[in-house]
Amino acid sequence: MSSGYGRFALARAGQAAVVVLLAYVLTFLVISVLPGDAITNSLRDPQSGLSEADIQRIVSYYGLDQPVLVQLALSLGRFLTGELGFSLQSNLAVSQIVGDALPSTLTLASTALFIAVAFAVAIAYGAHYAPPRWAGILRCIPSFFLSVPNFVIGLVLIELFAFRLHSFTTTDPNSATATLFAAVTLAIPVSAPLAEVLIAGLDHESRQEYALVARSRGLTGAQLFARHLVKPSALPSVAMIALIVGELLGGSVITETIFGRDGIGTVVQKAVTGEDQPVLQAVVSLSAVVFVAVNLAADLLTPLLDPRVNVREAANA
Amino acid sequence: MSADLNFARLRSDGAASIRTRAAIPPTVLMSLLVVLVVVLWSLFPSVFTGYSPVNGDTGSKLDSPSLQHWFGTDYLGRDQYARVVYGTASSVTSALVAVAIGLVAGSAIGLASGFRGGWLDATLGRFVDVLLAIPGFLLAVVIVSSLGFQTINAAIATGVSAVAVFARLMRAEVIRVRRSTFVEASYLEGGNRLQALLTHVLPNAYRPVLVLAVLQFGTSILVIASLAFLGYGDPPPSSDWGLLVASGKTYVTAPWLVYAPALVIVATVLSINRISRWLRNPS
């Protein structure tokens, strides 16, 4: 196993690195579809408060007076050495902007992930063990969760809990309660596909012979669930973890805007409205790095968690 | 909710199948009715409301829902129901455009890479990996910011961010079908590759992809509404559903301005999801 696994891990890591580089290039090309003058126009906007010398420095830093491919090479080279450039709006280092916003988003996203997993397990458990009528309703919940836009969930929660019940105030978005409600908003659409996969897994696993054997040994439903069924049923969701991280990052744009939080999502929103391309480029490519890294970790973990997964087959997939 | 997760959802259901002769369950019938109403709203808005979506009655600002104004009125005295009905065409058409882009481009990539294999599969596979690596909603935001804030651009962005999902499903289906005996038999009978592709592989591979397209239609409505909510679609006085929710949220004393278009979005997407589930697994 060890040499086969090593080769598999190395191949996967190599693929991941290539994907990250190409994602950077793709993002750069998409962003550069904007006519080059738009950047200098937004720089020359008197409201930006930049002097002619500032503008000259920015233009030469990004090579804005040179062809797109030269700009790409310049930008990609800096990205590889960890240099993310400067914001066109504020002249701050992009790494500083991202660094300042990251803790807020990490708190929000990790709370949301926790809530989403809790919701998904609760829904799946209920759908499997509740009396048939309730189970039927629970099975419809994921589909319902997926039909409600993120922003509607957020607005309803704010209307109910901030304006009517005064559980939190929108003027203090970083309080624990406000964070909790923002996290629920972000968690609901993420919990739905997780619950669907868990339900499908539970349906499958509980039909297996080992479940019958465990039942005949006198295990109750809950014991069977906790000791035997949870692990194999949750395995397919490991492969989904990267997608879920992507959903959390994308959903944070809306959630943070609604709840007035200062996180990565807000940074994206401001960069889009202000045509701040270096910031946008950095956030999108860093998201790709996170996605690819999580995906890689999930791929590398799966054969270790489930010995039935054949490494050689997985490497060719 | 972006396109990326739809793939995992479809796969978790196992092989998709469409049964043709089965009684239509009541919930599906209701869903079809909702979709029909939405389609009619977008085709003939003036049949469904006598009010103008642009000109308001300044005498009745922020009225709560009543028999005259089903969804109440906004800050200019415009009938919110009329705004929703007239906003349907743009909201629904843009979702259709998005699905068409994802379906056509994604299927073409998936078909080519699954059928041809080899270096083409490897190249296209990396391209799809790259599209998947950027979180779907972020990709849509970047594309729309680059193309300009218009609903049609939001539709294109949503479509492009769904290409990868269609490509992966189509590739998986084509590979499944390509290895079957009847495709090999067609080669033995002297058929060429293109013939086999068109007469045998495609007809047997496209159904799960079409089911995904239906599911993706609902998802696209959500994504485009989210982009409109952020102000990346057509500006007012157009009345895309997402934009209506966004402009309604400033009037705390008039919550119906948010709830009415929100309910329409939820009812539409819920119905589309129900139909897609029924197509996958009739029961």
Side-chain angles (χ1 to χ4, degrees):
Chain A
M1 154 128 190
S2 62
S3 90
Y5 183 77
R7 209 175 305 148
F8 160 72
L10 216 67
R12 267 283 188 265
Q15 278 178 6
V18 171
V19 167
V20 166
L21 286 182
L22 290 178
Y24 189 92
V25 173
L26 180 76
T27 315
F28 189 91
L29 293 179
V30 168
I31 293 181
S32 308
V33 169
L34 268 179
D37 281 352
I39 308 174
T40 30
N41 281 347
S42 75
L43 286 177
R44 282 185 210 291
D45 183 352
Q47 281 180 345
S48 70
L50 297 171
S51 70
E52 190 60 32
D54 282 340
I55 295 171
Q56 276 316 317
R57 213 181 54 238
I58 293 172
V59 167
S60 69
Y61 179 82
Y62 289 113
L64 294 178
D65 44 1
Q66 290 172 60
V68 171
L69 283 181
V70 179
Q71 293 178 32
L72 170 63
L74 205 61
S75 162
L76 186 59
R78 289 198 181 115
F79 176 69
L80 288 177
T81 57
E83 203 183 324
L84 298 175
F86 294 89
S87 159
L88 299 182
Q89 277 178 309
S90 60
N91 228 349
L92 288 172
V94 174
S95 51
Q96 192 191 336
I97 296 177
V98 171
D100 286 349
L102 200 57
S104 167
T105 301
L106 278 182
T107 314
L108 178 68
S110 51
T111 317
L113 183 61
F114 184 76
I115 295 173
V117 170
F119 276 4
V121 172
I123 293 170
Y125 184 83
H128 216 72
Y129 293 106
R133 260 182 74 193
W134 293 106
I137 294 174
L138 281 170
R139 272 171 195 265
C140 295
I141 285 191
S143 177
F144 178 69
F145 277 6
L146 283 173
S147 308
V148 188
N150 209 325
F151 56 87
V152 168
I153 299 171
L155 291 176
V156 169
L157 288 179
I158 288 178
E159 156 86 14
L160 277 180
F161 291 96
F163 296 157
R164 281 177 204 263
L165 299 172
H166 305 288
S167 309
F168 67 99
T169 59
T170 42
T171 45
D172 181 17
N174 293 318
S175 70
T177 335
T179 305
L180 190 69
F181 281 104
V184 169
T185 305
L186 193 53
I188 282 180
V190 172
S191 69
L194 256 183
E196 281 183 335
V197 168
L198 269 181
I199 290 174
L202 277 179
D203 286 351
H204 177 75
E205 295 299 332
S206 59
R207 281 195 304 266
Q208 304 299 307
E209 280 179 356
Y210 75 85
L212 191 68
V213 171
R215 265 251 192 245
S216 66
R217 288 206 332 258
L219 263 68
T220 65
Q223 285 170 329
L224 183 68
F225 177 78
R227 288 194 206 160
H228 296 287
L229 297 183
V230 151
K231 210 179 141 191
S233 310
L235 207 62
S237 50
V238 173
M240 284 173 70
I241 204 78
L243 290 178
I244 285 168
V245 169
E247 283 298 302
L248 290 171
L249 276 169
S252 71
V253 180
I254 298 263
T255 309
E256 288 174 0
T257 309
I258 293 177
F259 282 84
R261 297 170 63 89
D262 285 324
I264 298 290
T266 328
V267 168
V268 169
Q269 225 247 337
K270 281 181 189 154
V272 167
T273 26
E275 292 185 1
D276 201 341
Q277 300 176 13
V279 174
L280 209 51
Q281 171 81 51
V283 173
V284 174
S285 23
L286 288 179
S287 312
V289 171
V290 172
F291 179 92
V292 170
V294 174
N295 213 0
L296 179 65
D299 275 358
L300 294 184
L301 269 178
T302 308
L304 301 181
L305 291 177
D306 188 349
R308 289 171 300 183
V309 174
N310 187 329
V311 170
R312 227 156 288 161
E313 259 175 40
N316 297 328
Chain B
M1 173 72 209
S2 69
D4 307 347
L5 283 172
N6 281 345
F7 184 77
R9 295 178 65 213
L10 277 186
R11 300 300 287 182
S12 73
D13 265 22
S17 66
I18 299 180
R19 200 181 298 161
T20 38
R21 279 173 219 280
I24 300 178
T27 49
V28 173
L29 215 56
M30 244 168 64
S31 306
L32 288 169
L33 203 68
V34 169
V35 171
L36 180 72
V37 168
V38 166
V39 168
L40 289 177
W41 275 1
S42 58
L43 291 178
F44 316 105
S46 56
V47 174
F48 290 88
T49 172
Y51 291 102
S52 153
V54 184
N55 300 314
D57 169 13
T58 44
S60 51
K61 289 178 188 169
L62 297 176
D63 280 359
S64 49
S66 62
L67 279 178
Q68 282 81 41
H69 302 289
W70 293 358
F71 293 172
T73 61
D74 68 1
Y75 69 105
L76 291 174
R78 294 179 293 199
D79 182 64
Q80 183 76 349
Y81 171 69
R83 306 264 299 144
V84 171
V85 170
Y86 277 93
T88 307
S90 149
S91 307
V92 170
T93 321
S94 49
L96 281 178
V97 170
V99 173
I101 292 173
L103 180 67
V104 172
S107 301
I109 293 175
L111 202 59
S113 99
F115 192 68
R116 190 71 210 284
W119 64 268
L120 189 67
D121 187 24
T123 315
L124 291 174
R126 282 301 85 74
F127 178 66
V128 168
D129 282 350
V130 170
L131 280 181
L132 279 175
I134 303 171
F137 190 67
L138 274 189
L139 183 61
V141 165
V142 170
I143 295 173
V144 78
S145 81
S146 171
L147 293 177
F149 298 157
Q150 277 174 22
T151 300
I152 183 65
N153 292 339
I156 295 172
T158 309
V160 173
S161 68
V163 165
V165 185
F166 280 103
R168 277 215 305 182
L169 184 62
M170 188 52 129
R171 177 178 176 274
E173 287 302 314
V174 167
I175 287 178
R176 183 181 61 81
V177 176
R178 195 187 61 180
R179 288 177 185 161
S180 10
T181 331
F182 64 85
V183 175
E184 281 171 18
S186 86
Y187 286 128
L188 287 180
E189 284 180 349
N192 63 28
R193 292 181 77 113
L194 190 68
Q195 253 175 339
L197 179 73
L198 292 179
T199 57
H200 297 294
V201 176
L202 198 55
N204 287 290
Y206 80 93
R207 284 194 160 187
V209 180
L210 275 193
V211 174
L212 175 67
V214 176
L215 192 63
Q216 195 58 42
F217 181 50
T219 308
S220 299
I221 290 183
L222 289 185
V223 175
I224 290 169
S226 302
L227 291 171
F229 178 83
L230 289 171
Y232 302 160
D234 287 345
S238 83
S239 56
D240 278 61
W241 292 345
L243 183 66
L244 285 177
V245 175
S247 41
K249 76 175 196 296
T250 30
Y251 302 95
V252 182
T253 52
W256 55 88
L257 291 178
V258 166
Y259 288 142
L263 273 178
V264 171
I265 298 175
V266 174
T268 309
V269 179
L270 198 57
S271 302
I272 293 169
N273 283 351
R274 181 69 189 91
I275 293 169
S276 129
R277 184 176 291 270
W278 172 66
L279 289 174
R280 255 183 290 166
N281 189 10
S283 63

